[in-house]
């Protein structure tokens, strides 16, 4: 069965960077794009970007351009999301989610979420 | 401010039907039939309930249905059950610099 297992919770200081990992199993890793979506406490979902694990190409939300980097390691079927210049309003649960269509709007499997807390 | 507008909350009694709206623009909902709806229970990951405006993934109850008119998409849940109480988010592909946008979410309360 499809599984996305994310790295553990992080606490970071303002201005620092964080790197969250998402290890995929149960399917052919390179065949499906992967989203990163975040959710601040008590707030809604926010799309951050998407990576093509096969080519390594990425598309980021305009809001995060210059601050987010998504990469993949095909040898371990893992995608990574690094967010830099952290601010307190980056405190959120970060999810990876597998995309199963060409519309980029059908994420059928999600990771368990990684809480990133930004605090001085 | 979310790109897609949803009501903050809706409610209904068991057995009733409710509809949640998702209003976008001619750059997203009005332009593409790429609207999905996600259900999220507290402290859980979202689950896709409807995709491509009207399609239900395998395993999703046929009590859930989707539609679209102009720049607004709709999620209808019929025969409300207690387990339907959750947050619901719409999402759409867009022609803007940010190709995927979510609505602000709607909290469904089953009375």
């Amino acid at each position: 069965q499809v599984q996305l297992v994310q790295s553990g919770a992080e606490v970071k200081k303002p201005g620092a960077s964080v790197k969250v990992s998402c290890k995929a199993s149960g399917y052919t890793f390179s065949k499906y794009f992967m989203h990163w979506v975040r959710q601040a406490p008590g707030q809604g979902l926010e799309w951050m970007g998407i990576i093509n694990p096969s080519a390594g190409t990425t598309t980021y939300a305009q809001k995060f351009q210059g601050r987010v980097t998504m990469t993949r390691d095909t040898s371990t079927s893992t995608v990574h999301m690094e967010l830099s210049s952290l601010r307190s309003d980056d405190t959120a649960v970060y999810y990876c989610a597998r995309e199963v269509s060409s519309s980029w709007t059908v994420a059928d499997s999600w990771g368990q979420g990684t809480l990133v807390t930004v605090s001085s | 401010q979310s790109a897609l507008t949803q009501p903050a909350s809706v409610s209904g009694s068991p057995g009733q039907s409710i509809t949640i709206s998702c209003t976008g623009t001619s750059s997203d909902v009005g332009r593409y039939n790429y609207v999905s709806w996600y259900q999220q229970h507290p402290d859980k990951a979202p689950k896709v309930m409807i995709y491509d405006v009207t399609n239900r993934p395998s395993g999703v109850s046929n009590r859930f249905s989707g539609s679209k008119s102009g720049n607004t998409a709709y999620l209808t849940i019929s025969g409300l059950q207690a387990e339907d109480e959750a947050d619901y988010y719409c999402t759409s592909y867009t022609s803007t610099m940010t190709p995927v946008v979510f609505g602000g979410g709607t909290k469904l309360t089953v009375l």
Side-chain angles (χ1 to χ4, degrees), chain A residues 35 37 39 43-47 59-63 95 103-108 110-111, chain B residues 34-36 38 40 44-46 48 51-52 89 91-93 97-100 102-104:
Chain A
H35 297 276
V37 176
Q39 187 169 35
Q43 302 301 308
L45 302 173
E46 182 173 31
W47 187 79
T59 299
Y60 302 137
Q62 191 171 18
K63 173 178 178 176
Y95 291 101
S103 69
W104 291 6
T105 58
V106 191
D108 74 332
W110 293 64
Chain B
Y34 295 145
V35 175
S36 295
Y38 290 86
Q40 186 181 33
K44 298 292 186 184
V48 60
Y51 68 95
D52 294 351
Y89 295 90
T91 185
S92 176
Y93 186 80
M97 295 288 289
T98 298
V100 177
F102 280 98

Side-chain angles (χ1 to χ4, degrees), chain A residues 30-42:
Chain A
S30 60
K31 283 193 170 183
Y32 298 91
F33 286 35
M34 194 78 79
H35 297 276
W36 285 93
V37 176
R38 77 177 187 180
Q39 187 169 35

Side-chain angles (χ1 to χ4, degrees), chain A residues 2-5 22-27 29 34 76-79:
Chain A
V2 175
Q3 268 198 308
L4 302 176
V5 179
C22 169
K23 183 173 176 59
S25 63
Y27 70 98
F29 175 70
M34 194 78 79
T76 60
S77 299
T78 301
V79 296

Side-chain angles (χ1 to χ4, degrees), chain A residues 53-76:
Chain A
S54 177
T57 52
T58 56
T59 299
Y60 302 137
Q62 191 171 18
K63 173 178 178 176
F64 299 103
Q65 288 275 3
R67 219 164 55 96
V68 70
T69 303
M70 296 176 189
T71 56
R72 96 295 192 208
D73 181 343
T74 55
S75 68
T76 60

